Amino acid sequence: MTDSDVRIAFNEHSGAIYRFSWRMTGSPSAAEDITQDVFLLLLRRPDQFDPRRGQLRPFLIGVARNLARKWLLRESRWNELDDEQLVAEPAEMEGRDLTESVGAAVSSLPATQREVLLLAHYGGFSLDEIARIVNIDVGAVKARLHRARQNLKRTLAPLWLCESRGG
Amino acid sequence: MKSLNDEQLDRMLDCWVAPPAPHSIESRVFAPHIPWWKRFFSKISPGIASPTGRRRIRKKKGTV
């Protein structure tokens, strides 16, 4: 992969990588750093990407996911032990608009549930692709995604009622 | 306890729009006058790649 290939890849995928990192960390500066590091890795070690093993975007998102995980661990915000948790921490909704409230609810999910939900809903990845990115089996992806969605259905229900009443 | 259905949840999730990536990232990645290793290490520790940073973290002579 040449420098110009990396530039094409940057134009195609940097937005998706930034948005995933932003949603995962909740920090614009961390998302910038992660996006930068993903493409610096591609410039430095282009051999790390093997097209025979899959497409470029899942590979780049996988790198971003690992960097985001390291960032969250450093910030003590990676709650792996809560993977089985069915009820997310209650998110503070009062005084927030709809966008912020949905963001707060997703951010309050355990990190392992959150990453799977972000990859499925916002990234548009298939269960197989998510399994490869997160390095777990497809059954575990399904279970995490189900738990994440169940959590959100409950935490966001009061907000839906307010919105549908025009409140 | 009230709970959303799948369609309602998807519609709510769509409300959470992420901002676009800042243009500054591109210049940080592709700055042509700075080698990649200098860009990589300067972010981790300014003292490693930047002469200015190195001077800043070096102890003064004669201090304990």
Side-chain angles (χ1 to χ4, degrees), chain B residues 2-4 9 11-13 22-23 29 36 38 45-46 49 52:
Chain B
K2 282 277 178 189
S3 179
L4 300 177
L9 176 61
R11 279 174 60 186
M12 292 212 83
L13 288 175
H23 292 297
V29 173
W36 68 261
K38 197 170 259 192
S45 166
T52 321

Side-chain angles (χ1 to χ4, degrees), chain A residues 51-65:
Chain A
R52 287 169 300 182
R53 294 179 63 193
Q55 292 184 317
L56 183 58
R57 183 174 289 202
F59 168 78
L60 296 174
I61 287 281
V63 176
R65 180 257 175 190

